[in-house]
Amino acid sequence: QQQVKQSPQSLIVQKGGISIINCAYENTAFDYFPWYQQFPGKGPALLIAIRPDVSEKKEGRFTISFNKSAKQFSLHIMDSQPGDSATYFCAASIWGKLIFGQGTELSVKP
Amino acid sequence: NAGVTQTPKFQVLKTGQSMTLQCAQDMNHEYMSWYRQDPGMGLRLIHYSVGAGITDQGEVPNGYNVSRSTTEDFPLRLLSAAPSQTSVYFCASSRDGGTEAFFGQGTRLTVV
């Protein structure tokens, strides 16, 4: 019940394209939904986050779409760039615990 | 500010040995957590703490112990290392459960 399922596992996008990563959860008590970006050899870093009372949040080229009734949320990266190539993790927080999805390895081809 | 500092960065252990992974933060954060990262499995929560003297189990706690005697430090102990504990370990801290978590650079552990 505290799992967060993420797809796809890997994604290849052309430069300038849109990258879309999806996550689903079961527990309706989750109250905070962040996305983290990780480069090889580094720790994850917060990219953007949303709370369940908001349906969409945009920061620059990055947008979270949140569907509370479907218990799904997604990350959209507009105008994807080679520098966006990294592993992306969705996560959900409950009672102080941050539970992560399995990760998506994004490769943006020039 | 150093943020979250993990030591060591690399470690090789023999099966059955014990060791402690160190984690320290200088942001006065109440929440601290340990994760392990394995290919295709994301980041799995081992143990977490919501303040000094308070710890709880995460998704994969077996084989690991933690304690939190100060706000700054949250060490992770492997009691008897097993090859299945070969992984990259990350420590993280946050002001509370609903705010940004800051991660250390990780410890790459190999158990042979």
Side-chain angles (χ1 to χ4, degrees):
Chain A
Q1 266 221 331
Q2 295 193 2
Q3 282 186 325
V4 178
K5 295 184 179 180
Q6 183 172 346
S7 63
Q9 193 169 0
S10 63
L11 182 61
I12 299 174
V13 173
Q14 292 296 318
K15 179 182 176 181
I18 302 174
S19 304
I20 301 174
I21 305 170
N22 300 298
C23 284
Y25 63 97
E26 287 297 323
N27 195 332
T28 56
F30 284 131
D31 57 8
Y32 174 68
F33 299 87
W35 284 88
Y36 282 79
Q37 180 188 55
Q38 184 182 32
F39 293 103
K42 304 292 186 183
L46 180 67
L47 188 62
I48 187 173
I50 199 168
R51 299 196 185 273
D53 54 347
V54 176
S55 61
E56 184 175 282
K57 183 174 182 180
K58 183 176 180 179
E59 289 184 1
R61 295 185 294 109
F62 301 92
T63 300
I64 300 179
S65 297
F66 188 84
N67 186 330
K68 191 173 182 178
S69 60
K71 292 186 281 188
Q72 295 175 346
F73 59 112
S74 60
L75 176 69
H76 295 233
I77 305 175
M78 310 300 289
D79 186 26
S80 298
Q81 299 297 313
D84 296 330
S85 297
T87 300
Y88 293 81
F89 294 96
C90 63
S93 178
I94 179 173
W95 306 321
K97 296 190 295 185
L98 194 58
I99 306 298
F100 283 83
Q102 294 82 357
T104 297
E105 192 170 341
L106 171 65
S107 177
V108 181
K109 299 299 185 186
Chain B
N1 282 348
V4 179
T5 303
Q6 289 183 236
T7 55
K9 288 187 170 52
F10 301 94
Q11 183 71 50
V12 179
L13 285 180
K14 293 183 179 179
T15 297
Q17 285 185 318
S18 63
M19 80 160 295
T20 299
L21 307 185
Q22 301 292 344
C23 176
Q25 53 94 5
D26 61 359
M27 296 173 281
N28 201 31
H29 286 167
E30 290 295 326
Y31 284 59
M32 296 187 75
S33 305
W34 275 102
Y35 294 86
R36 60 176 291 173
Q37 183 172 18
D38 303 290
M41 305 193 74
L43 292 147
R44 292 183 292 169
L45 181 65
I46 304 172
H47 286 286
Y48 69 106
S49 169
V50 299
I54 306 169
T55 64
D56 205 347
Q57 296 181 349
E59 302 166 277
V60 288
N62 292 341
Y64 307 95
N65 269 3
V66 293
S67 60
R68 183 99 180 270
S69 55
T70 67
T71 299
E72 294 78 20
D73 301 298
F74 191 43
L76 178 72
R77 281 181 286 277
L78 281 71
L79 305 175
S80 177
S84 60
Q85 293 178 305
T86 293
S87 187
V88 180
Y89 291 84
F90 287 99
C91 178
S93 75
S94 62
R95 181 168 50 83
D96 57 47
T99 57
E100 179 177 4
F102 294 84
F103 283 78
Q105 295 280 38
T107 295
R108 183 173 294 274
L109 175 68
T110 302
V111 183
V112 297

